[in-house]
Amino acid sequence: MTATVSAPAARRGLVKGALGKRNAVPWLFLAPGLLLALVFKFWPMAKGIWLSFFHVRPFLGNEWIGLDNYTRVLTDHRFQESIGHTLILGIGQAVGAILLGFALALLLEGQARSLKFLRTAVFLPAVTATAVVGELWRLMYYPTSDGLLNSGLHLFGLGTVQFLDNPNIALYSTMVMGIWIWAPYNMVIFLAGLAGVDRSLYEAAAMDGVSLWQRLRHVTLPAIRPALMIVLTLATIRGLRVFTEVYVLTGGGPAGSTDVWMTRAYTLGFTRNDIGGASAASVVLLCVTLLLTVMVNHLRKRGEAR
């Protein structure tokens, strides 16, 4: 009787042990990445939040000042101006990249080999270092008749345009480069969404004489809504955290006309050596980014529930 009872118990123990080992294997593969993320991302993030409450004085000892850094950052007129620049640049860049990415996805959808080559060529800006892209666009925007874009304008009898030196258009010139970088990234996500659209719906719409716009509105857009929400979430985060494009192309100039939140925080931390203020600015941006991400995900779930 004892042997009869103990045999199933032993088998259950072996099964639990095997399952435990099987569950541990993925964590072993994830461990190096998690360790790197802990050391180079989460620990610096926690340290930055902690330093945002101090007047940081290297080699002299940090002084606790509470929320003074946050008050100083939020009341600084340069930071207040950068909020408007960040919103204009982020919204314009997000909308432009989404529309252009969707148009490219519609044009390059298919299985032909030539389309595969074109998709690869179009996607290159998304995988090229932003610093390299910025230098290329700087040459294109060169403010003399030798610049690529100004040479084209001269062919039409137009004068030389100071794309990066004119405070009225420098921000929009930066926006164009951002759209050019991120539209191919959005295109890939839209292509994945378009691959799941039921082709019979297109055939039925064509037989009913539905126009192209109605087909896009009532068939394509509802089918790719998950992909659209992913793109919108990423664009929201990317728009608020825009930095490299501005820093490489204009550095925040001319006269602060392209200064965004991240470039102000960078200047505060690495030019003025105000680590506490820069940390507070970064924490504010982190909180706003988390809030908007939660809002976008809430809207996505409401849309799926309908």
Side-chain angles (χ1 to χ4, degrees):
M1 184 69 180
T2 304
T4 306
V5 174
S6 60
R11 284 196 295 269
R12 284 196 298 269
L14 291 174
V15 171
K16 289 181 179 180
L19 291 175
K21 292 179 180 179
R22 185 178 300 177
N23 292 333
V25 170
W27 290 104
L28 291 176
F29 285 101
L30 290 173
L34 292 175
L35 182 60
L36 289 175
L38 177 64
V39 174
F40 294 104
K41 185 174 183 179
F42 295 111
W43 171 248
M45 185 185 300
K47 187 68 173 179
I49 296 173
W50 175 253
L51 290 177
S52 67
F53 299 103
F54 288 87
H55 173 54
V56 180
R57 301 181 301 175
F59 309 110
L60 296 176
N62 300 334
E63 179 184 355
W64 173 270
I65 57 175
L67 298 176
D68 287 356
N69 283 326
Y70 292 93
T71 303
R72 182 161 51 86
V73 165
L74 295 176
T75 56
D76 186 355
H77 72 95
R78 297 294 297 272
F79 271 102
Q80 292 173 355
E81 292 176 357
S82 71
I83 294 175
H85 298 157
T86 303
L87 291 176
I88 293 173
L89 184 59
I91 294 174
Q93 193 170 280
V95 173
I98 289 174
L99 293 177
L100 182 57
F102 183 59
L104 289 172
L106 293 176
L107 291 173
L108 300 178
E109 182 192 13
Q111 299 297 326
R113 291 185 178 180
S114 59
L115 290 178
K116 294 179 181 179
F117 173 77
L118 287 175
R119 284 196 293 264
T120 303
V122 170
F123 188 67
L124 285 178
V127 295
T128 305
T130 308
V132 176
V133 174
E135 288 302 320
L136 291 175
W137 278 84
R138 187 192 296 275
L139 294 175
M140 293 172 62
Y141 282 144
Y142 200 68
T144 66
S145 58
D146 297 330
L148 179 62
L149 294 180
N150 279 318
S151 298
L153 292 176
H154 282 191
L155 294 177
F156 295 97
L158 301 176
T160 301
V161 177
Q162 306 291 325
F163 289 101
L164 301 180
D165 297 328
N166 187 343
N168 296 321
I169 63 174
L171 186 66
Y172 300 99
S173 301
T174 307
M175 185 188 300
V176 171
M177 187 189 78
I179 293 173
W180 186 79
I181 292 174
W182 295 111
Y185 186 86
N186 295 339
M187 176 198 71
V188 173
I189 299 177
F190 282 130
L191 284 172
L194 290 172
V197 179
D198 188 358
R199 302 297 164 180
S200 63
L201 297 177
Y202 287 132
E203 297 173 359
M207 294 178 62
D208 292 338
V210 176
S211 65
L212 177 61
W213 167 246
Q214 291 175 327
R215 201 181 310 171
L216 288 174
R217 180 181 178 185
H218 298 289
V219 178
T220 305
L221 289 178
I224 66 168
R225 181 177 294 174
L228 182 60
M229 296 308 299
I230 292 173
V231 169
L232 185 59
T233 302
L234 295 175
T236 301
I237 299 172
R238 197 164 53 227
L240 290 175
R241 297 172 56 186
V242 60
F243 170 74
T244 310
E245 298 96 312
V246 176
Y247 183 77
V248 171
L249 205 57
T250 65
S257 60
T258 61
D259 229 353
V260 293
W261 190 271
M262 283 296 295
T263 57
R264 287 303 308 158
Y266 178 88
T267 301
L268 202 62
F270 293 96
T271 302
R272 299 184 180 180
N273 202 28
D274 186 355
I275 305 300
S279 299
S282 301
V283 173
V284 170
L285 182 62
L286 173 64
C287 294
V288 174
T289 303
L290 290 176
L291 178 61
L292 288 179
T293 304
V294 170
M295 290 175 59
V296 171
N297 285 330
H298 177 67
L299 294 175
R300 176 180 61 83
K301 291 179 180 179
R302 286 185 58 184
E304 292 176 353
R306 294 177 184 176

